[in-house]
Amino acid sequence: MPHVPPSLPPVAVDPDTLRRVIPREMQEAPRWVLYRNAPGPGFNAKARKVPVYADGGARTGKLDTPRDQQRLVTMEQALSALQGFPGYGLGFALGQGPTPGVQWQGIDLDAISQHPELIALFDMAPGYKERSPSGDGFHVIGQGPHFNTLGSNRTGIEAYAGARFLTVTGNSLGGELADLAPFVNEVLAPLHAKKPPGSDRAPTPAPVAAVTSRPA
């Protein structure tokens, strides 16, 4: 067993809750990693979430390769591995889904206290939903085709269909696995692109009609 750096702060994991609320298809998918909290750069910086494989190796280098995928595990295997990594949490690796052309997708809405407009977007989104570890953000997980990445910027909106992982808390807010691509492309992407430089607020969310009127 390699040296295990501490997770600061430690992460609380409730296996029974995870088994009850996480969609079965997610639980059984070999897409799980562990992660630890590590101090961020600079004074009073936000902690970084550092992913590690269940065998203790750092998840670095090019992701979504066959070599990377071979080291991802199911949720039960990840929970078992946690016994050797006290204070670590669980994460779900976005990317290759159960069949060719299907990706595990994720949305990360962050700093809700600064961007309360994002609550409406979260309510509108399809997919499995839960609170982030900080309690000040929301995560959504689904599966469907690849879409262009929406990286971190001032909007608080991020969306990925690979090469990232989302922390999994089990603090579920409901929802079933669904294709996130239409919502990301039609609703989130325009808002993500229109953030005024230096603004402290996210753009006004699209009206509900923008989502409910699209073809099924």
Side-chain angles (χ1 to χ4, degrees):
M1 174 68 67
H3 170 67
V4 179
S7 178
L8 300 172
V11 181
V13 177
D14 184 337
D16 291 336
T17 296
L18 292 173
R19 294 183 181 109
R20 185 177 70 254
V21 303
I22 301 299
R24 178 60 55 182
E25 192 170 355
M26 278 181 63
Q27 294 189 38
E28 296 176 351
R31 301 296 303 178
W32 293 79
V33 295
L34 313 183
Y35 77 92
R36 65 182 175 89
N37 288 317
F43 177 74
N44 204 29
K46 183 178 179 181
R48 298 178 296 116
K49 295 175 175 61
V50 180
V52 299
Y53 296 109
D55 62 14
R59 191 182 188 225
T60 59
K62 189 172 183 179
L63 305 182
D64 296 337
T65 63
R67 182 178 181 182
D68 173 55
Q69 293 175 28
Q70 289 171 3
R71 299 180 73 180
L72 304 176
V73 298
T74 66
M75 191 183 83
E76 281 301 323
Q77 291 171 320
L79 287 171
S80 178
L82 272 182
Q83 298 177 34
F85 298 88
Y88 281 44
L90 294 190
F92 190 82
L94 307 174
Q96 180 60 53
T99 58
V102 175
Q103 301 286 111
W104 286 105
Q105 311 156 318
I107 296 170
D108 183 1
L109 302 178
D110 198 18
I112 300 299
S113 59
Q114 299 176 38
H115 304 299
E117 301 88 347
L118 298 183
I119 296 174
L121 294 177
F122 178 75
D123 290 341
M124 295 159 61
Y128 168 71
K129 305 177 180 183
E130 59 174 49
R131 287 192 182 276
S132 65
S134 69
D136 194 30
F138 300 119
H139 291 165
V140 184
I141 295 177
Q143 58 177 215
H146 189 272
F147 52 74
N148 291 333
T149 291
L150 305 182
S152 176
N153 67 7
R154 292 178 181 270
T155 63
I157 298 170
E158 299 178 48
Y160 305 95
R164 291 290 193 282
F165 80 99
L166 290 183
T167 58
V168 176
T169 62
N171 190 351
S172 175
L173 295 169
E176 302 291 336
L177 293 175
D179 180 10
L180 307 184
F183 183 75
V184 170
N185 292 330
E186 298 168 22
V187 179
L188 296 187
L191 298 177
H192 183 270
K194 291 181 180 180
K195 180 66 175 179
S199 173
D200 291 331
R201 293 177 65 83
T204 302
V208 174
V211 180
T212 58
S213 64
R214 70 171 183 265

